[in-house]
Amino acid sequence: MEAPKFVWEGAIPLQIHLHESQVTTLPPPPPALILAPRIGYLPLLAPLIKPYFSSTLPPGVDTIWYIPTGVLFDLLCPEPERPWNITVHFRGYPGSVLIPCEGEDSVKWSFINSLKEAAYIMNGNCKNVMNMSQSDQLELWHSVMNGNLEAYQRVSSKLKLATVDDEYASLCLQKSQQSVIETDLPAQAKTGRVPVRLYVLSVSKDFDDLDEIPRVDSWEKISYINRPVEIRKEDKCFTLHDALKILLPELFLDESLMNVKLGGVDLEDAVRNSNEDVTSDKVVEDQGQNACKRPEACRISSSAEIKLIRIQGIEPKLEIPFSWVANNLLNPDYFLHVCVCVKVAQ
C-alpha cells in the first residue's frame, strides 16, 4: 500500500497567471498560488482560481480548458519547475480546437467513461461499472476529488477489476526463504491486460540535460496512444521495457541494433488480433530470456531514441517489473498514464 498512498498524496504547486488579454485593471492581479493533486484535473480548480481574478475579468461567459494534472506536468515539464507557472484564460475559448469543459459534471463523466473503458479492457465487459449505484458512483467520484484513498478503495473494490499478480514479489519471497528450488516454482502471474494511455513527445534535437528539451508549442508534437498491454502467464520476466515494445512497436524496427543495445532481447513482428476490442491495436510476442537485464541504452532504432520515461512523476528504470508498475502506479480511472520523450530524425 505504500506506493499507491504516495501516488494519491502527490501534489504539484501551481502559480496561476491571468492572461494579459483578459486583464482589465491596473495594476494587474498577482498570481494565484494553489496546490493541485496529481490525480485531479485542472478544470476542477476553476472555483478556486476564479475568485483571485473575478474583479479584473472582462464581461463574458467563463470557460476553462482538460488529462490528469500530474500527467500534464510530467508531459509538459521535462525539467520540473516548482511552482509550475500556468496562464489561465476565462474568455475566448478555442472551440474549433478543443471540446469545451462544461464544469465538474463534464469531468466526472469523462472519468466514468474512462473507468468503463478500463473495465472492458481488463475483464472483457464493463457490467460492474455500468451497474454501480448512484450513491457508489458519487462516493467514488468524491473520493477522487478529495484525494481520499480509503473511500476510493472501499467503493472500487466492488467493481472487481482484475489485477495482475506480482510474480516477482512472490519469487523473491520464496527464494529468500529457500523453501523451494527455482525449477519447482509455480507460475505466479495470471494473464492480465493493463489499460495504458501513452503520451509521446517527439523532439528532433538531441540533448543531455532535461532543461534543454524544447518547450511544447504545439500539440502536433505529442502523439496520444490508447493501447492495452497483455501480461501472459508464460511471461517469466515481463518488464517495462517489454511493455514499451508492445506500446511502440513501430519504433522497434531495427532488430540487429536492438540486440546489441537492449541485452539480446529478440522482438517478433507485431501482429493483429481480430478478437481484441477496438482499443487493442497490436499484441507483441516476446521470447527473450534476458528481459530482466538492465538495457545499456534506450536506443530503439537507427532514427529514434527514448530519452525520458515518466510515470506518476517517477522516472522508472526499464528493467522494473511491469506487474509492479501496473499494480502501484495506476490512476483512479484504472489507466496507466505513461509519458515518453522520443528523439526522432527531422
Side-chain angles (χ1 to χ4, degrees):
M1 286 306 301
E2 196 73 11
K5 184 172 181 288
F6 279 118
V7 167
W8 275 70
E9 292 177 350
I12 301 166
L14 307 181
Q15 185 163 268
I16 310 292
H17 305 262
L18 183 63
H19 192 268
E20 59 183 11
S21 67
Q22 298 175 20
V23 175
T24 62
T25 61
L26 288 175
L33 296 174
I34 292 175
L35 199 61
R38 286 191 64 92
I39 62 169
Y41 300 85
L42 287 179
L44 298 181
L45 299 177
L48 297 177
I49 297 172
K50 190 181 177 184
Y52 287 91
F53 307 121
S54 57
S55 63
T56 192
L57 282 171
V61 178
D62 293 340
T63 48
I64 189 170
W65 318 353
Y66 84 117
I67 305 177
T69 303
V71 176
L72 287 173
F73 183 69
D74 292 345
L75 186 64
L76 301 178
C77 297
E79 179 59 50
E81 62 176 34
R82 294 178 179 83
W84 184 18
N85 284 279
I86 295 178
T87 300
V88 65
H89 296 250
F90 284 93
R91 305 287 186 270
Y93 192 88
S96 60
V97 178
L98 297 174
I99 298 174
C101 172
E102 304 294 345
E104 181 184 328
D105 277 350
S106 178
V107 185
K108 172 189 171 184
W109 289 115
S110 175
F111 168 79
I112 296 296
N113 285 333
S114 291
L115 198 59
K116 291 177 185 176
E117 186 178 350
Y120 189 84
I121 290 171
M122 299 171 84
N123 290 349
N125 66 77
C126 55
K127 292 179 181 177
N128 289 343
V129 180
M130 297 284 289
N131 295 333
M132 285 179 71
S133 67
Q134 189 68 22
S135 60
D136 279 351
Q137 202 175 93
L138 285 174
E139 186 177 358
L140 185 70
W141 174 241
H142 288 151
S143 71
V144 174
M145 286 188 63
N146 300 325
N148 189 334
L149 177 58
E150 185 178 341
Y152 171 82
Q153 290 175 329
R154 184 170 58 250
V155 181
S156 63
S157 64
K158 299 178 183 180
L159 300 178
K160 295 181 171 56
L161 295 181
T163 56
V164 179
D165 284 347
D166 192 346
E167 72 273 27
Y168 306 94
S170 301
L171 181 64
C172 290
L173 177 62
Q174 290 174 334
K175 283 188 173 180
S176 67
Q177 294 174 341
Q178 296 182 343
S179 58
V180 293
I181 60 174
E182 186 173 357
T183 54
D184 292 333
L185 289 177
Q188 298 291 331
K190 61 186 177 184
T191 299
R193 302 179 73 206
V194 181
V196 178
R197 286 189 171 149
L198 185 72
Y199 310 83
V200 183
L201 170 62
S202 301
V203 297
S204 57
K205 294 182 179 179
D206 200 3
F207 59 87
D208 296 318
D209 298 316
L210 293 180
D211 56 6
E212 296 176 0
I213 298 180
R215 292 278 182 175
V216 178
D217 55 10
S218 170
W219 284 104
E220 293 181 356
K221 294 182 179 178
I222 297 174
S223 300
Y224 172 83
I225 300 170
N226 224 21
R227 184 175 292 164
V229 172
E230 183 173 11
I231 302 178
R232 301 166 303 171
K233 190 173 183 179
E234 61 268 26
D235 288 327
K236 298 301 182 183
C237 192
F238 192 83
T239 64
L240 176 60
H241 165 240
D242 297 314
L244 285 173
K245 291 194 298 182
I246 293 175
L247 293 167
L248 293 169
E250 57 272 19
L251 295 185
F252 288 86
L253 300 177
D254 193 337
E255 185 172 344
S256 61
L257 178 63
M258 187 174 63
N259 286 339
V260 173
K261 293 293 186 179
L262 297 179
V265 179
D266 294 328
L267 174 69
E268 296 185 0
D269 293 334
V271 295
R272 293 279 179 181
N273 188 337
S274 58
N275 295 324
E276 303 291 333
D277 62 87
V278 292
T279 61
S280 176
D281 291 339
K282 297 180 181 179
V283 177
V284 178
E285 294 186 1
D286 174 25
Q287 302 297 331
Q289 297 301 312
N290 299 316
C292 285
K293 296 181 180 179
R294 176 171 176 80
E296 296 177 2
C298 297
R299 189 171 297 279
I300 49 183
S301 78
S302 57
S303 60
E305 180 182 0
I306 293 180
K307 302 292 288 187
L308 176 67
I309 302 169
R310 195 170 282 164
I311 306 171
Q312 296 289 9
I314 301 168
E315 296 174 19
K317 297 178 181 179
L318 286 177
E319 76 270 22
I320 190 172
F322 188 68
S323 58
W324 186 92
V325 175
N327 284 327
N328 292 282
L329 302 182
L330 292 178
N331 265 62
D333 60 3
Y334 275 86
F335 269 90
L336 182 68
H337 296 260
V338 182
C339 298
V340 179
C341 179
V342 178
K343 175 187 171 292
V344 295
Q346 184 70 39

